[in-house]
Amino acid sequence: MLEMRKNCEKCSEQLHDKSDAYICVHECTYCPSCTAEMNHICMNCNGELVRRPKAGAQIISCPLSK
């Protein structure tokens, strides 16, 4: 399960469960403004930053995985 961090690691902007946020493979978390400023590259590990799923989103199982 993802750790839904509550603040941007660069500017400390508060992020809620349903806020737009970006994470790397290590779950470093950034707001959209800082992500754009860093060209979608994590300042901690140089990994790609991708949009974090929002809490409460319905998870649908893949029919191919059965």
Side-chain angles (χ1 to χ4, degrees):
M1 178 178 260
L2 285 175
E3 179 184 335
M4 300 295 276
R5 296 182 184 165
K6 303 289 184 192
N7 296 85
C8 174
E9 294 190 30
K10 185 171 185 205
C11 72
S12 300
E13 178 182 330
Q14 215 175 15
L15 302 168
H16 304 285
D17 290 346
K18 295 187 181 195
S19 295
D20 283 337
Y22 291 81
I23 60 173
C24 71
V25 70
H26 299 288
E27 298 182 26
C28 298
T29 305
Y30 302 96
C31 70
S33 297
C34 288
T35 298
E37 191 177 292
M38 298 184 303
N39 296 314
H40 288 76
I41 302 296
C42 177
M43 67 180 191
N44 297 323
C45 70
N46 292 319
E48 179 184 19
L49 293 171
V50 296
R51 189 178 302 270
R52 176 179 77 178
K54 293 182 180 171
Q58 184 179 7
I59 297 172
I60 302 171
S61 62
C62 177
L64 299 176
S65 65
K66 295 180 181 178

